[in-house]
Amino acid sequence: MLAILVYIMVFLQLFKSYELCPLEYYVIDENHSYCSQPYPNVVDLPISSSERTAILRIHNHERRLVRGTNIEKMYWNDDLAEIALRYARRCEFDHDKASQRSVPRIPLSTGQNLAMGYDNWTQAIGGWIEEKEHYIHGYPATGIVAHYTQMIWHSAVLVGCAATMCPPSGIFDMKWPFYVCNYVTGQLNSNLYRPYDQGIEDRPLNDCHGKVCLYNGTLDLKTCQCQCSTYATGSQCEHLNCSILPPCYYQSPESCIAVNVPLECPRLCGLCDRYEVLKQVYGKANLAPNTPAIKMLRTTTITTTTSSTKRKPAGRKMKTNSQKQPRKLSLITHPSTVIASNSCNYLSLSIGPYLLHSLMIIIVTLKSF
C-alpha cells in the first residue's frame, strides 16, 4: 500500500508542475504562446469581419503604394490570429520569441507588430504607417521604421491579429488596449532597408492567394508554383524527406541561429523531429498550409506552467491623465528562430510516455491487491 501511495504522489506532483499543451505547438517551443496563461481579468476585444477587412485593406494599400516588383498581396490567417490572441491575453507589452508564435504547419520566420493605447485598429495601424516618414528605400532610416517595413515586407503574405483590454496593474492604473499582429514571413534584419525590390511604375500586387513554400522552397510569382529543394516535395514543398538530406557541415544546434543553417541542416535544427510530429497530428495528406487543418490525432504533451504569482504587465507606462499615450513595438525576426532546439523536441516526445508508464505501474500495483 505504501508503494501505491508513493506512485500516486509522484504522478500527481508531475501534473501539478506541468500542464497539457498540444504536441504540435510544444515541439516548436516548450513555452509556445498558444499555451500561454491569460492575465487575470483580461477581456478579449473580438475583431469583427469589417475590422478584419479594414486591417487587410490598409496593409495592402501601403504595400501597393511602394511599387515593389516582388510584393505579394496579403491574406488573413486564422492560426496566426489565434496565437496572437493568446499572447495578447498575457498583457505583456513586449515581444515573445519568434518560435513561440510560429504556426505548426508553417515552419517559416514569423514577425510581429505590437501597439497599445489606441482607440481602434485603424489608429493602431496608422501609428505603424507614420514611420514611413523616416524610411527611404535602400538607405539607413532616420528613425524607427521596423513596424512599417514589416507591413510592406515583400513576402509577408499572411497576417493574423488580435486585441485585448488589459486591466490596471502595477505601473498601469487604468485599463489599456493591447494590439498584436503576427506575420508570415517576418522581416529579416539583413534586408531591413530593402524589404522589396523597387519598381518605377504603379502595378497591382502579385497575388498567389497567400501561398507559401516550405523547407527552402521558392515561389514563382508568375505561375504561383513552388520550386522545391531536393529534399522536399508537394504543392507547397510540405513533405520533408530527411533520408536524402545533403551533408551538414555544422556540429552544434547553436549554429542554427544563422540564416542558412536550418535550410542546409534540417535534422540538426529540429525540423525533422517537428515534421514527424506534424504527420502524426495532421496526417501526411494535410500538411500543406493552404489546406484545411484537419487533425488526424488529438495529441497532447506536457509543458511546464508559469508561476502562479500574478505578473505585472511588462509594457510601457501610460500617463494617468485623460490624454492616452499610444505605444508601439516591433520585432525584426530571423528565420532560424522559428525552429525549436533538439532538446525541446526530444523532451516533448519523452515526457508523455514517462507519465503513462507511471500510471500503468499504479494500475498494475492496484490489481495485485
Side-chain angles (χ1 to χ4, degrees):
M1 183 60 68
L2 179 60
I4 296 176
L5 293 176
V6 170
Y7 276 118
I8 291 177
M9 290 177 64
V10 171
F11 190 74
L12 293 178
Q13 185 63 33
L14 285 171
F15 273 98
K16 182 179 180 181
S17 302
Y18 295 89
E19 67 174 352
L20 291 178
C21 179
L23 180 59
E24 61 270 25
Y25 291 94
Y26 186 80
V27 75
I28 302 172
D29 193 297
E30 61 181 348
N31 295 311
H32 200 287
S33 293
Y34 184 89
C35 306
S36 296
Q37 296 297 309
Y39 193 81
N41 301 319
V42 62
V43 177
D44 293 349
L45 299 177
I47 295 179
S48 65
S49 59
S50 60
E51 287 177 317
R52 185 173 70 174
T53 299
I55 291 172
L56 287 173
R57 175 178 51 79
I58 296 172
H59 275 82
N60 283 320
H61 175 71
E62 292 298 322
R63 294 168 72 81
R64 188 174 62 254
L65 286 179
V66 298
R67 300 178 177 179
T69 60
N70 62 338
I71 295 184
E72 301 175 59
K73 185 177 181 179
M74 185 179 288
Y75 284 83
W76 188 267
N77 182 272
D78 288 333
D79 291 326
L80 285 172
E82 179 63 26
I83 295 171
L85 174 60
R86 293 180 180 235
Y87 183 68
R89 288 172 177 167
R90 291 171 57 174
C91 293
E92 294 181 0
F93 190 61
D94 197 2
H95 292 288
D96 53 1
K97 296 192 302 182
S99 60
Q100 294 171 348
R101 69 183 83 108
S102 177
V103 174
R105 295 193 303 164
I106 311 180
L108 298 171
S109 61
T110 308
Q112 185 178 78
N113 278 352
L114 306 179
M116 64 174 292
Y118 294 93
D119 291 331
N120 52 56
W121 274 106
T122 301
Q123 291 182 9
I125 299 175
W128 302 336
I129 296 174
E130 288 176 358
E131 296 175 355
K132 67 181 179 181
E133 67 182 49
H134 305 295
Y135 171 79
I136 301 176
H137 186 269
Y139 293 90
T142 59
I144 296 175
V145 297
H147 302 88
Y148 174 67
T149 53
Q150 176 62 80
M151 290 182 61
I152 60 173
W153 184 256
H154 69 281
S155 59
V157 298
L158 300 176
V159 65
C161 304
T164 58
M165 182 64 72
C166 296
S169 179
I171 62 174
F172 297 89
D173 57 3
M174 60 184 295
K175 294 181 180 180
W176 54 283
F178 186 22
Y179 301 89
V180 181
C181 281
N182 290 343
Y183 302 84
V184 169
T185 60
Q187 61 185 338
L188 309 181
N189 54 8
S190 59
N191 291 327
L192 179 60
Y193 306 127
R194 290 183 175 85
Y196 54 86
D197 294 337
Q198 183 67 66
I200 58 176
E201 298 179 350
D202 291 334
R203 52 179 294 136
L205 296 171
N206 298 291
D207 190 359
C208 291
H209 303 284
K211 187 174 185 178
V212 294
C213 305
L214 310 180
Y215 305 119
N216 208 19
T218 57
L219 182 65
D220 187 324
L221 295 179
K222 294 182 179 180
T223 64
C224 290
Q225 299 298 312
C226 289
Q227 300 174 352
C228 301
S229 62
T230 57
Y231 51 84
T233 58
S235 62
Q236 294 183 254
C237 310
E238 69 273 16
H239 298 302
L240 177 63
N241 188 346
C242 288
S243 66
I244 57 172
L245 295 177
C248 177
Y249 299 102
Y250 302 90
Q251 302 297 324
S252 172
E254 295 180 359
S255 303
C256 296
I257 193 173
V259 63
N260 61 305
V261 178
L263 305 179
E264 298 176 11
C265 305
R267 189 182 305 280
L268 177 69
C269 298
L271 283 179
C272 292
D273 290 337
R274 177 174 174 176
Y275 177 71
E276 292 302 318
V277 169
L278 292 178
K279 286 196 300 182
Q280 295 177 28
V281 175
Y282 296 101
K284 190 174 182 179
N286 300 314
L287 296 182
N290 283 20
T291 60
I294 302 174
K295 294 188 178 182
M296 307 298 293
L297 180 65
R298 179 64 267 172
T299 306
T300 56
T301 187
I302 308 300
T303 179
T304 54
T305 60
T306 56
S307 172
S308 59
T309 304
K310 290 186 177 181
R311 296 173 284 105
K312 295 182 179 180
R316 304 287 184 86
K317 184 175 182 180
M318 294 178 62
K319 293 185 178 180
T320 57
N321 58 25
S322 59
Q323 182 65 34
K324 292 185 178 180
Q325 300 295 317
R327 302 290 183 183
K328 51 192 176 181
L329 199 62
S330 180
L331 182 67
I332 303 170
T333 61
H334 193 285
S336 63
T337 58
V338 303
I339 302 170
S341 65
N342 286 337
S343 61
C344 291
N345 294 334
Y346 291 128
L347 181 63
S348 66
L349 297 175
S350 61
I351 291 180
Y354 175 76
L355 293 175
L356 290 176
H357 178 68
S358 300
L359 181 59
M360 291 177 63
I361 292 177
I362 295 174
I363 295 174
V364 171
T365 306
L366 287 172
K367 286 185 177 180
S368 65
F369 282 86

